[in-house]
Amino acid sequence: MSWDYEFQKNVTAVTLKELRDSGDLATGAQVTLDLEFLPTDTADADACAKALRTFGYEVEIHEDGMIAASIGNVPLTLEGVWQQEERATKIALDRGYEPDGWGFWEP
């Protein structure tokens, strides 16, 4: 299966625009970005967690197999979020996981 990175990036752009338009996005803010990944039939949780940790993500593997990955000091811009989202997605897809969204605590 080929992943649609362009669609994923566009969804991220729309989400950030909505946050900016609502006034909930501080210009220049840096956040701890939280990403979630759901297992597929070929999921290898240990390999995915190890690879994510190699790139500086803090990782939790949940009982249902979902992986939560967090990384700090991410600029709350399309470029900042997308850099982390794309990297983590590639790592996860290669190890049997699919992205399920991202979020952050208010800065």
Side-chain angles (χ1 to χ4, degrees):
M1 177 178 103
S2 177
W3 191 256
D4 191 344
Y5 289 98
E6 184 177 341
F7 176 77
Q8 183 182 4
K9 185 176 183 179
N10 288 338
V11 169
T12 295
V14 167
T15 301
L16 289 168
K17 182 181 180 323
E18 288 172 354
L19 286 168
R20 261 193 317 275
D21 291 351
S22 70
D24 290 339
L25 180 62
T27 302
Q30 292 203 348
V31 299
T32 296
L33 187 66
D34 301 314
L35 303 130
E36 293 184 351
F37 301 94
L38 299 177
T40 67
D41 293 339
T42 62
D44 185 338
D46 291 333
C48 189
K50 182 179 179 181
L52 287 165
R53 286 183 183 114
T54 298
F55 284 92
Y57 296 90
E58 292 183 25
V59 179
E60 289 181 34
I61 303 171
H62 293 241
E63 284 184 29
D64 63 359
M66 190 266 289
I67 288 184
S70 299
I71 193 161
N73 298 319
V74 176
L76 201 49
T77 63
L78 179 57
E79 296 78 21
V81 171
W82 181 244
Q83 178 185 16
Q84 299 303 326
E85 187 181 6
E86 181 182 33
R87 175 185 296 143
T89 296
K90 287 178 179 180
I91 291 168
L93 288 172
D94 285 347
R95 290 154 184 87
Y97 280 82
E98 293 185 350
D100 190 43
W102 59 267
F104 59 92
W105 288 99
E106 300 263 343

